[in-house]
Amino acid sequence: MPLSKSEYISDIWKDDIFGRSHPCAMFGARAQVRALVHLGANACIIGRNVEKTERVARDIATVRPGAKVIGIGAVDVRKFEDLKNAVERCVEELCSIDFVIAGAAGNFLASIEQLSVNAFKSVMDIDVLGSYNTLKATLPYLVVSGVQPAPSRTGGRIIFVSATLHYRGIPFQAHVSVAKAAIDSLSNSTAIEYGPRGLTSNIIAPGPIAQTEGLERLLPSDAKSAYIKSQPLGRFGHVRDIADATIYLFSDAGSYVTGQTLVVDGANWRMLGGIVTNGNLQYPDCLLSGKEISNVTGKKKSNI
C-alpha cells in the first residue's frame, strides 16, 4: 500500500526542485530517497538482499510518474569492489551521481564486558569502512558534479548518517559511539579536502525515530512510554524529519553549508541518562548486576 506524502515529506518543498538531479543513495536511506524522488530526482539504492532491494526500489519509484529508481542487491559495503561495481552501474543508467547518502550501520546493545572483539570489529567494518568505501567509490563522480558552474550546479554533495551517542557517552553503546565519532571526522575531512572542488560534506545525526528498526532494536519495549515522557518535545522523531533535513542539505538552500552536523533529535542528547534510565535499566544498577539486557527486539546473542 503506497505511503501518503505526509508520511515521508513535508508540504513546504517545491515538487520539482531536484528535477535534473540523480542522487545515489546508500543503505538506510529509504525515507530520504523516497522524498528526493518525489521532488524530481532519480535514484539508486543498494542493499545486501537482492529481492528486498529491488522491491524497495520499485516501491519508491511509484511516488512520481516517470521516476527511475534502481535497486542493486548483493552489495556488501565492507567490500570496495561491490560498491565500485554498483556505482558504475548507477552512472551507466542515470548518467551522473550528484548526491550521496552514506548511511550503512550496525548496532545492538552490549556492555564493553559483554562485547566481543569480533562484534566490535563488525560494527567498525560496517559503519566506518562502509562509509569510507561509499565515499571513495562515488568521489570521482561527485567531483564532476561539483565543478559544474553555478547556477547549473546541482550536486557534488554527500551526507553521512551518524548519531549523537558519542557526544556524552552512553552505556551499552561503546562500539557504535566509536564508529560514529570516526564517521563525523571523515565527513569533516571530506569537507575540507574537497570543498575547493565544489563538494559539500555534512552529517545528519538522528535521534530516536519512530517505527524504525534501530529504535525497536535499542529501546526495551517496557521503557517506551517513560522514555517518550522524558523527551523535551514529548515524542519520538519521524522519518519525515530526517527526509526534510536531507532535502535542505541537498537543495539550493544548503549550498553554502558544509563541514557541519545537523542534529535532528528534539534535543534528546541534551537530556541526562539516555536509553538506560527508563524501565528496568537504571544506571548504574544495570551495569553492576552483570545481567544482559532483555526485551530488546532483534538482539543477536551470538554477537556479544
Side-chain angles (χ1 to χ4, degrees):
M1 181 177 179
L3 296 176
S4 65
K5 178 183 177 182
S6 62
E7 291 185 74
Y8 60 88
I9 189 174
S10 296
D11 290 330
I12 63 172
W13 306 107
K14 187 177 178 180
D15 279 350
D16 62 348
I17 60 174
F18 296 120
R20 293 176 297 168
S21 301
H22 309 278
C24 177
M26 307 293 180
F27 272 121
R30 195 175 305 175
Q32 294 162 288
V33 177
R34 190 182 298 273
L36 293 169
V37 171
H38 182 99
L39 298 178
N42 293 319
C44 173
I45 63 172
I46 65 172
R48 293 288 296 272
N49 184 287
V50 175
E51 182 181 354
K52 180 179 179 181
T53 304
E54 292 178 350
R55 183 177 68 250
V56 170
R58 290 193 298 269
D59 177 58
I60 292 175
T62 63
V63 303
R64 177 174 56 82
K68 186 172 184 179
V69 182
I70 305 166
I72 305 177
V75 177
D76 185 342
V77 293
R78 297 169 293 185
K79 299 177 180 179
F80 178 74
E81 285 301 315
D82 281 8
L83 277 168
K84 183 174 180 292
N85 292 336
V87 167
E88 289 175 352
R89 178 183 164 189
C90 177
V91 173
E92 181 180 352
E93 297 194 33
L94 298 181
C95 300
S96 68
I97 294 178
D98 296 331
F99 307 134
V100 171
I101 301 170
N107 197 1
F108 47 87
L109 295 174
S111 67
I112 294 174
E113 185 176 6
Q114 296 170 334
L115 186 65
S116 71
V117 173
N118 286 337
F120 184 86
K121 182 180 183 299
S122 178
V123 173
M124 295 302 110
D125 287 348
I126 294 171
D127 288 37
V128 182
L129 183 60
S131 294
Y132 182 76
N133 285 343
T134 301
L135 171 69
K136 194 73 171 177
T138 56
L139 262 176
Y141 307 102
L142 288 174
V143 168
V144 172
S145 179
V147 298
Q148 300 300 317
S152 62
R153 180 187 301 162
T154 58
R157 305 188 192 183
I158 185 169
I159 291 173
F160 293 88
V161 180
S162 185
T164 63
L165 303 169
H166 51 295
Y167 296 175
R168 285 181 175 269
I170 187 170
F172 304 115
Q173 291 285 268
H175 45 307
V176 184
S177 297
V178 173
K180 296 306 184 184
I183 289 171
D184 289 2
S185 182
L186 176 61
S187 177
N188 295 338
S189 294
T190 303
I192 294 169
E193 291 191 23
Y194 286 90
R197 304 189 191 187
L199 272 67
T200 68
S201 178
N202 292 289
I203 301 155
I204 290 179
I209 305 299
Q211 297 179 324
T212 60
E213 181 182 351
L215 185 67
E216 295 302 319
R217 184 181 294 275
L218 299 178
L219 186 64
S221 56
D222 60 354
K224 288 184 178 179
S225 296
Y227 189 84
I228 292 173
K229 188 176 181 180
S230 73
Q231 299 307 294
L233 294 181
R235 67 175 179 89
F236 290 132
H238 193 281
V239 292
R240 183 182 61 240
D241 298 318
I242 308 304
D244 285 338
T246 303
I247 296 165
Y248 162 65
L249 290 174
F250 281 165
S251 72
D252 287 345
S255 64
Y256 198 56
V257 180
T258 190
Q260 303 301 315
T261 299
L262 179 52
V263 178
V264 187
D265 78 335
N268 167 270
W269 79 268
R270 296 188 180 278
M271 301 299 291
L272 294 175
I275 64 172
V276 294
T277 59
N278 298 296
N280 297 322
L281 298 180
Q282 298 295 327
Y283 180 86
D285 296 347
C286 55
L287 291 168
L288 297 177
S289 69
K291 295 181 179 179
E292 293 191 8
I293 300 169
S294 59
N295 300 322
V296 179
T297 301
K299 182 180 177 183
K300 298 180 179 179
K301 293 183 178 180
S302 60
N303 285 340
I304 58 175

